[in-house]
């Protein structure tokens, strides 16, 4: 359908006053996908109306629910289309292994420099502009290969590499820490190349010795760190002084490993948010190893964790909650358990299967979907001890959405939130 006809058709749909508020919101989400427009619902509305050069003055405004309304369960149609979490893992794994892209998240030594030069067809010398062109090309290829990977992680990496959004328009910052510096900065493209054309901007210390004294690209950015380890510990501030520091920072945003362990990340969150004053945590290396490695959106993971801890604190008004944190590897992924040991679930098993409420709905929409699958194992009262699928592929496939009991138990104490990060 030609664009002009398509736009006229969309305009007619949006101007249909018979649409309910829910139908109109779903229509905006579908149109956003059709026009390749990303962002929150409110952002999509503004962008769509700008593209179509219309303003639907007579439609009811799309607003977030007020505090009183948010206590009520949200209708199931507000839940998004399911995104397989394995898309995220595979996208980040392939990015990390790509012969060109992997050196945007690693420091470069002599062997890496040779590999880059061979990949760029120069072999005997490093050409930043040629290398950067290959970076952009390879990222576009991996984006197209994993078109169903969450758009948020693509936007993060695109901002880091190009300083632009998916439309090619410049953005002032990227990431949750609002970092302005990126691979396409003028200081890199011009100043660095002029003085150090044969040296990459992110060399290891040993490689610098082979080049000029100016092989240090200064940034000078202080990060209120959520994910950056320093000497094995997490501190409130982490200073990014050089481009190499920036590269290591970026690496920590998607790669959980021994020197950026989820164990230490969550300990830092507990201290930074003062959860330790309100919760008795049980976490040790026997049940939460530091050497488990996987690729994920670390910022979204942290957001989901903090929301669940807040929820645990809210429902524990008469006693201090005891929370055990566990991490283990499975054949097809990684399982993170946030186990509230001295609690009972606040809804019956049947109610949980029918409706999950606004807290879980918003958690799924804003953090969980595309990040991981989500289960709850709990004492639901009346002798019902079970593990329930809150958000996974079985809940959303084959017709009407139906949660199911994954497993039943003879007994179980407490409430366990289980996040499963899929690799397959």
């Amino acid at each position: 359908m030609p664009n002009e006809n398509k736009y006229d058709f969309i305009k007619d749909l949006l101007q249909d006053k018979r649409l309910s508020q829910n139908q109109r919101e779903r229509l905006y989400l579908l149109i956003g996908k059709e026009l390749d427009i990303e962002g929150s619902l409110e952002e999509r509305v503004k962008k769509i109306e700008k593209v179509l050069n219309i303003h639907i003055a007579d439609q009811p405004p799309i607003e977030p629910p007020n505090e009183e309304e948010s206590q009520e369960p949200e209708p199931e149609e507000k839940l998004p289309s399911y995104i397989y979490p394995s898309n995220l893992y595979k996208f980040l794994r392939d990015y990390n292994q790509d012969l060109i892209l992997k050196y945007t998240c690693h420091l470069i030594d002599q062997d890496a420099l040779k590999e880059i030069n061979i990949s760029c067809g120069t072999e005997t010398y490093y050409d930043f502009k040629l290398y950067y062109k290959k970076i952009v090309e390879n990222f576009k290829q991996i984006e197209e290969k994993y078109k169903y990977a969450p758009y948020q992680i693509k936007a993060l990496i695109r901002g880091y590499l190009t300083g632009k959004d998916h439309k090619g328009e410049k953005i002032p910052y990227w990431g949750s820490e609002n970092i302005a510096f990126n691979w396409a900065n003028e200081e890199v493209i011009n100043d660095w190349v002029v003085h150090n054309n044969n040296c990459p901007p992110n060399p290891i210390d040993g490689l610098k010795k082979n080049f000029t004294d100016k092989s240090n690209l200064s940034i000078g950015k202080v990060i209120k760190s959520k994910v950056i380890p320093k000497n094995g510990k997490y501190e409130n501030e982490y200073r990014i002084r050089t481009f190499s520091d920036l590269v290591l920072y970026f690496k920590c945003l998607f790669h959980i490993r021994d020197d950026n362990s989820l164990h230490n990340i969550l300990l830092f969150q507990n201290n930074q948010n003062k959860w330790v004053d309100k919760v008795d945590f049980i976490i040790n290396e026997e049940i939460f190893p530091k050497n488990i490695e996987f690729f994920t959106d670390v910022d979204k993971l942290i957001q989901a964790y903090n929301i669940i801890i807040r929820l645990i604190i809210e429902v524990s008004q008469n006693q201090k909650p005891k929370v055990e944190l566990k991490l283990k590897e499975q054949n097809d992924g990684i399982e993170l358990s946030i186990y509230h040991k001295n609690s009972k679930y606040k809804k019956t098993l049947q109610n949980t299967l029918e409706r999950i409420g606004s807290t879980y709905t918003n958690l799924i929409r804003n953090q969980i979907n595309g990040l991981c699958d989500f289960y709850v194992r709990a004492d639901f009262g009346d002798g019902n001890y079970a593990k329930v699928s809150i958000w996974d592929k079985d809940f959303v496939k084959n017709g009407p959405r139906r949660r199911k009991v994954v497993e039943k138990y003879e007994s179980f104490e407490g409430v366990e939130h289980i996040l499963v990060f899929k690799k397959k």
Side-chain angles (χ1 to χ4, degrees):
M1 181 185 294
N3 277 348
E4 187 176 344
N5 293 339
K6 178 167 70 175
Y7 289 174
D8 287 339
F9 176 71
I10 292 172
K11 287 179 185 179
D12 290 340
L13 284 177
L14 289 174
Q15 291 170 333
D16 188 345
K17 296 181 180 180
R18 294 171 297 178
L19 290 176
S20 69
Q21 178 71 352
N22 285 337
Q23 289 172 328
R24 194 178 300 279
E25 290 182 13
R26 293 179 70 184
L27 183 58
Y28 269 115
L29 292 174
L30 291 171
I31 294 170
K33 290 181 180 179
E34 175 65 24
L35 301 181
D36 195 24
I37 291 174
E38 300 176 338
S40 66
L41 178 59
E42 292 77 12
E43 290 170 340
R44 292 188 194 200
V45 170
K46 292 178 182 177
K47 291 176 182 177
I48 289 169
E49 293 186 350
K50 183 178 180 181
V51 168
L52 300 178
N53 193 27
I54 60 171
H55 176 63
I56 314 301
D58 295 330
Q59 74 178 53
I62 296 176
E63 297 176 349
N66 61 40
E67 185 176 349
E68 188 173 291
E69 291 173 334
S70 68
Q71 302 307 312
E72 296 298 322
E74 290 211 4
E76 295 296 319
E77 59 264 26
K78 293 244 180 175
L79 290 170
S81 299
Y82 179 80
I83 300 175
Y84 284 79
S86 57
N87 288 323
L88 173 64
Y89 174 84
K90 293 174 183 177
F91 170 74
L92 293 172
R93 177 204 61 197
D94 284 11
Y95 181 97
N96 188 67
Q97 294 177 354
D98 184 89
L99 291 177
I100 291 293
L101 296 174
K102 67 181 179 181
Y103 295 116
T104 65
C105 51
H106 293 83
L107 300 188
I108 296 175
D109 59 16
Q110 193 65 51
D111 291 337
L113 187 60
K114 289 179 182 178
E115 188 174 4
I116 289 172
N117 294 343
I118 292 172
S119 298
C120 291
T122 53
E123 296 195 15
T124 58
Y125 67 95
Y126 174 84
D127 186 316
F128 175 83
K129 291 185 177 180
L130 183 57
Y131 174 53
Y132 182 71
K133 183 181 178 182
K134 295 280 286 184
I135 288 175
V136 175
E137 289 174 354
N138 286 25
F139 179 66
K140 286 182 178 179
Q141 290 174 5
I142 203 170
E143 264 196 304
E144 292 173 3
K145 180 180 179 181
Y146 295 104
K147 60 181 179 180
Y148 295 114
Y151 75 88
Q152 297 95 330
I153 197 69
K154 293 180 181 178
L156 172 78
I157 298 177
R158 191 186 304 110
Y160 166 69
L161 295 179
T162 69
K164 296 179 180 179
D165 62 16
H166 69 288
K167 292 183 177 180
E169 297 177 359
K170 286 188 176 182
I171 55 175
Y173 308 106
W174 60 270
S176 61
E177 301 291 352
N178 293 331
I179 297 178
F181 215 91
N182 58 72
W183 277 79
N185 263 67
E186 185 177 339
E187 292 93 329
V188 182
I189 297 295
N190 295 324
D191 296 349
W192 178 265
V193 172
V194 169
H195 295 103
N196 306 281
N197 191 41
N198 205 30
C199 178
N202 54 322
I204 64 168
D205 289 339
L207 187 64
K208 292 179 187 178
K209 297 176 183 178
N210 299 331
F211 299 98
T212 72
D213 293 335
K214 294 184 178 181
S215 53
N216 236 342
L217 189 54
S218 177
I219 296 175
K221 167 74 175 176
V222 175
I223 298 296
K224 296 292 183 180
S225 172
K226 288 185 284 192
V227 294
I228 298 300
K230 185 177 181 181
N231 299 324
K233 297 181 180 180
Y234 287 73
E235 302 178 1
N236 288 330
E237 290 187 355
Y238 179 83
R239 186 177 295 278
I240 294 179
R241 295 182 175 87
T242 68
F243 199 80
S244 293
D245 291 336
L246 183 68
V247 168
L248 294 177
Y249 166 78
F250 171 70
K251 176 76 167 179
C252 290
L253 297 180
F254 70 88
H255 195 180
I256 299 293
R257 54 184 181 174
D258 185 63
D259 62 351
N260 185 46
S261 70
L262 189 57
H263 180 284
N264 287 347
I265 289 172
L266 298 189
L267 283 181
F268 177 75
Q269 289 300 306
N270 294 343
N271 286 305
Q272 185 185 50
N273 295 302
K274 299 185 178 178
W275 300 144
V276 290
D277 298 333
K278 302 174 182 178
V279 178
D280 285 333
F281 285 101
I282 304 167
I283 177 171
N284 57 65
E285 287 196 56
E286 291 183 3
I287 59 174
F288 205 122
K290 291 183 178 180
N291 62 348
I292 291 180
E293 180 177 351
F294 62 105
F295 299 102
T296 190
D297 186 334
V298 175
D299 197 43
K300 289 292 182 187
L301 193 165
I302 290 171
Q303 291 175 29
Y305 171 78
N306 285 331
I307 289 169
I308 292 172
I309 296 298
R310 288 191 192 99
L311 177 62
I312 288 172
I313 293 170
E314 287 173 8
V315 301
S316 304
Q317 297 179 356
N318 299 322
Q319 60 181 338
K320 191 173 185 179
K322 295 180 180 178
V323 175
E324 182 177 71
L325 303 178
K326 296 181 287 186
L327 189 70
K328 64 180 180 181
E329 287 184 297
Q330 299 176 324
N331 290 333
D332 62 346
I334 307 295
E335 179 180 296
L336 169 64
S337 164
I338 305 168
Y339 180 19
H340 185 185
K341 304 190 77 169
N342 55 335
S343 179
K344 282 189 177 182
Y345 204 70
K346 301 303 179 183
K347 299 172 70 173
T348 67
L349 179 58
Q350 186 60 37
N351 284 342
T352 303
L353 293 172
E354 293 172 354
R355 311 281 282 185
I356 56 173
S358 61
T359 299
Y360 281 172
T361 298
N362 290 330
L363 180 63
I364 289 168
R365 291 173 63 189
N366 299 320
Q367 285 83 30
I368 294 291
N369 191 33
L371 177 76
C372 59
D373 287 344
F374 182 32
Y375 304 88
V376 169
R377 179 167 27 227
D379 174 0
F380 292 94
D382 297 326
N384 288 311
Y385 311 101
K387 178 181 178 182
V388 174
S389 60
I390 302 298
W391 189 251
D392 67 3
K393 63 181 175 62
D394 291 329
F395 165 59
V396 297
K397 72 179 182 181
N398 298 332
R401 297 180 172 190
R402 298 185 186 279
R403 284 181 196 87
K404 68 176 184 179
V405 173
V406 177
E407 195 170 353
K408 281 199 169 186
Y409 311 95
E410 292 184 3
S411 66
F412 185 81
E413 293 183 1
V415 178
E416 185 177 16
H417 294 86
I418 302 169
L419 308 182
V420 181
F421 302 84
K422 310 288 284 188
K423 293 182 178 181
K424 301 177 183 178

